[in-house]
Amino acid sequence: MNLNLLAISGSFLAGVATVLGAFPILLGKRISPKMQDVFLGFSGGIMLAASFFSLLNPAIDMANVTFNRYFAVALVSLGLILGTFIFLIVDRFIPEDYFLRIYENGNSKILKKMWLFIFAITVHNFPEGMSSALGFLTGDFGKGISLATGIGIQNIPEGLAVAMALYVNNFPKKDIFLITFLTGIVEPVGGLVAILLFSISHYILPIGLAFAAGAMLFVVTKEMIPEIHKKGYETQATVGLMLGFILMMILDNLFS
């Protein structure tokens, strides 16, 4: 099967998994703050493991085939720095929790502009979509499957977090479903961008893999880890993070 088709399919399925996380909210279930932190830590663990095992390692291996090891490491480092820097800039102007703070302030005029909220979440989901696609573009089908599966699994608690944020701000269930779906469906858009940018030449694919890794590492350390330390359940959340890391490590080795 065409690698580009596999890449876009993997990022699509990983993104759609976000909707699964909204089901407990749509069914009227309440998730305790402790479990929210555990799930968020679990997601962070998957993203951390995916960054190392599924993105950085293949990037270095691919670069070593084409370049000497010193230039290969420098190239991957450049991609890592670029991914971190770009999302640092994005976060500076569009932090993920900015619009949630607006909702808490109760400005009814801004509340109606739900597309702004969608846009903020969408921007931060891009690296996951890119990562799902790039896993297949390495040519390693098993690597692509494990990465898309891991990101799909971590998207479930991410969908729960989005749905919960909307639920506590009194959004109707149909809007909760729609917005959660849209935040997930943007991932194949990120996958398409990755295909267009990094399938041009195998020489720049290692930069793309490292770029996605840098973006994911930034999201985990800047957004997710600080969040799971706010409510006093950091120990439980850390256990969740370790379990997520182990699961992604297992998936990566099973399918490789």
Side-chain angles (χ1 to χ4, degrees):
M1 188 179 291
N2 183 278
L3 279 180
N4 290 342
L5 181 58
L6 280 173
I8 203 69
S9 299
S11 58
F12 174 80
L13 293 174
V16 168
T18 305
V19 178
L20 297 177
F23 281 139
I25 305 303
L26 297 174
L27 295 174
K29 305 295 184 181
R30 294 302 303 268
I31 308 298
S32 69
K34 180 191 294 185
M35 290 309 300
Q36 290 177 47
D37 280 356
V38 171
F39 289 145
L40 191 59
F42 182 79
S43 296
I46 288 179
M47 292 177 70
L48 285 174
S51 298
F52 291 108
F53 297 113
S54 302
L55 294 172
L56 287 176
N57 278 347
I60 292 173
D61 290 341
M62 293 179 68
N64 278 330
V65 171
T66 308
F67 309 102
N68 68 63
R69 59 179 180 175
Y70 302 108
F71 189 77
V73 171
L75 196 68
V76 172
S77 299
L78 174 64
L80 190 66
I81 292 169
L82 283 175
T84 305
F85 179 74
I86 292 298
F87 276 83
L88 176 65
I89 299 300
V90 169
D91 187 77
R92 183 174 181 85
F93 292 100
I94 315 172
E96 191 166 1
D97 65 344
Y98 175 74
F99 295 105
L100 290 179
R101 292 201 299 266
I102 290 176
Y103 290 130
E104 291 169 359
N105 290 338
N107 188 323
S108 60
K109 291 182 179 180
I110 300 178
L111 276 171
K112 295 178 182 179
K113 298 180 179 179
M114 288 192 301
W115 65 270
L116 291 175
F117 174 71
I118 298 170
F119 180 71
I121 301 297
T122 295
V123 168
H124 287 80
N125 277 346
F126 248 76
E128 295 174 14
M130 292 178 65
S131 301
S132 298
L134 288 169
F136 287 101
L137 294 181
T138 62
D140 186 336
F141 181 75
K143 184 75 66 179
I145 289 292
S146 65
L147 188 53
T149 301
I151 290 177
I153 292 172
Q154 77 88 28
N155 275 341
I156 296 175
E158 182 176 284
L160 173 64
V162 172
M164 178 66 72
L166 297 171
Y167 177 78
V168 299
N169 286 283
N170 301 313
F171 277 79
K173 289 184 178 180
K174 61 181 179 61
D175 289 342
I176 292 175
F177 176 83
L178 177 62
I179 293 173
T180 305
F181 175 78
L182 289 175
T183 61
I185 206 63
V186 73
E187 292 197 10
V189 179
L192 180 60
V193 170
I195 291 170
L196 294 175
L197 288 178
F198 302 115
S199 65
I200 300 172
S201 168
H202 68 280
Y203 291 111
I204 62 172
L205 184 55
I207 299 179
L209 292 167
F211 179 94
M216 290 177 68
L217 287 171
F218 176 83
V219 171
V220 172
T221 57
K222 175 64 168 59
E223 303 287 350
M224 301 177 80
I225 291 178
E227 183 64 30
I228 63 177
H229 284 74
K230 286 181 178 178
K231 304 170 188 172
Y233 304 114
E234 55 269 18
T235 300
Q236 295 89 335
T238 301
V239 171
L241 186 145
M242 295 301 297
L243 291 175
F245 191 98
I246 291 169
L247 174 63
M248 187 65 224
M249 183 175 63
I250 291 172
L251 287 173
D252 190 79
N253 282 277
L254 283 179
F255 289 106
S256 296

